[in-house]
Amino acid sequence: MNKLKRYTIIGIIFVLITGSLSHFVYEWSGNNTLVGFLFPINESVWEHMKLVFFPMLLYSFYMVPKLDSEYPCISSTAMFGVLLGTFLVPILFYTYSGILGYTTRFFDIGTFVVSVLLSFFVIYKLTQSCKLASYEALFKTLVLVMAMCFFLFTYEPLDIGIFAEPGE
């Protein structure tokens, strides 16, 4: 098994486990305000995007330096993968719930799992092709902007659906 494939599989496992556990960290912390910036504070779709974003970003900080010399495009594709996985959460959630007309925990969990799997698949494939190398600065900037949005909108959400808890 090549190095990239090994790190991809480890990344999938890492993000699935840490993302799943992340769902409960805010409550476990006694609703600590600082913890809420990195972990979901409620059941909104916006907050659930953190389940993919921060674990994938953390793993990328580990993976990129390990693979950079052998795979020079890993940084750009990892940042793209973080963004892709994060935005797949609302895309898949609103698609399935719009089709069914309701939500289910099974499909909510499936949305998370599919988002992680697809983002790592894309990272794996695009790292080998280097098609995104020229967009590295853009992707890094967008990841930074996304992190700032999580920090800003965690406790000051906009009055739109993605920030609302189910049933509101």
Side-chain angles (χ1 to χ4, degrees), residues 34-46:
L34 293 177
V35 170
F37 287 114
L38 301 175
F39 301 95
I41 65 167
N42 62 43
E43 293 297 318
S44 71
V45 174
W46 174 259

Side-chain angles (χ1 to χ4, degrees), residues 3-4 31 41 53 69-70 88 99 114 125 129-130 137 160:
K3 199 172 179 181
L4 178 60
N31 299 346
I41 65 167
F53 183 82
S69 61
E70 196 171 334
L88 279 173
I99 291 169
V114 169
K125 288 298 188 183
S129 72
C130 278
I160 57 176

Side-chain angles (χ1 to χ4, degrees), residues 1-8 67 70-71 124 128:
M1 177 182 312
N2 72 35
K3 199 172 179 181
L4 178 60
K5 187 179 283 186
R6 187 168 11 103
Y7 275 88
T8 300
L67 297 176
E70 196 171 334
Y71 299 96
Y124 180 78
Q128 296 175 95

Side-chain angles (χ1 to χ4, degrees), residues 9-42:
I9 292 168
I10 292 167
I12 290 168
I13 294 166
F14 175 82
V15 174
L16 287 175
I17 291 170
T18 57
S20 297
L21 291 174
S22 293
H23 192 273
F24 307 101
V25 171
Y26 179 69
E27 185 179 334
W28 291 342
S29 76
N31 299 346
N32 181 289
T33 301
L34 293 177
V35 170
F37 287 114
L38 301 175
F39 301 95
I41 65 167
N42 62 43

Side-chain angles (χ1 to χ4, degrees), residues 11-150:
I12 290 168
I13 294 166
F14 175 82
V15 174
L16 287 175
I17 291 170
T18 57
S20 297
L21 291 174
S22 293
H23 192 273
F24 307 101
V25 171
Y26 179 69
E27 185 179 334
W28 291 342
S29 76
N31 299 346
N32 181 289
T33 301
L34 293 177
V35 170
F37 287 114
L38 301 175
F39 301 95
I41 65 167
N42 62 43
E43 293 297 318
S44 71
V45 174
W46 174 259
E47 290 295 313
H48 279 74
M49 291 166 66
K50 291 178 183 179
L51 300 177
V52 175
F53 183 82
F54 288 110
M56 279 195 74
L57 185 60
L58 179 63
Y59 186 73
S60 293
F61 290 152
Y62 169 76
M63 178 179 67
V64 169
K66 299 282 187 185
L67 297 176
D68 203 31
S69 61
E70 196 171 334
Y71 299 96
C73 303
I74 189 69
S75 182
S76 59
T77 57
M79 293 303 102
F80 178 75
V82 169
L83 295 167
L84 176 65
T86 302
F87 285 104
L88 279 173
V89 170
I91 291 168
L92 295 173
F93 174 81
Y94 288 119
T95 300
Y96 101 72
S97 63
I99 291 169
L100 295 180
Y102 58 91
T103 64
T104 70
R105 190 166 314 277
F106 176 78
F107 283 123
D108 291 346
I109 294 168
T111 293
F112 168 69
V113 171
V114 169
S115 296
V116 171
L117 291 174
L118 281 176
S119 60
F120 273 102
F121 175 77
V122 168
I123 290 170
Y124 180 78
K125 288 298 188 183
L126 291 178
T127 294
Q128 296 175 95
S129 72
C130 278
K131 290 182 180 178
L132 299 180
S134 60
Y135 300 101
E136 183 172 352
L138 172 64
F139 295 144
K140 285 180 176 180
T141 302
L142 291 174
V143 165
L144 181 61
V145 168
M146 192 70 211
M148 291 181 349
C149 287
F150 280 124

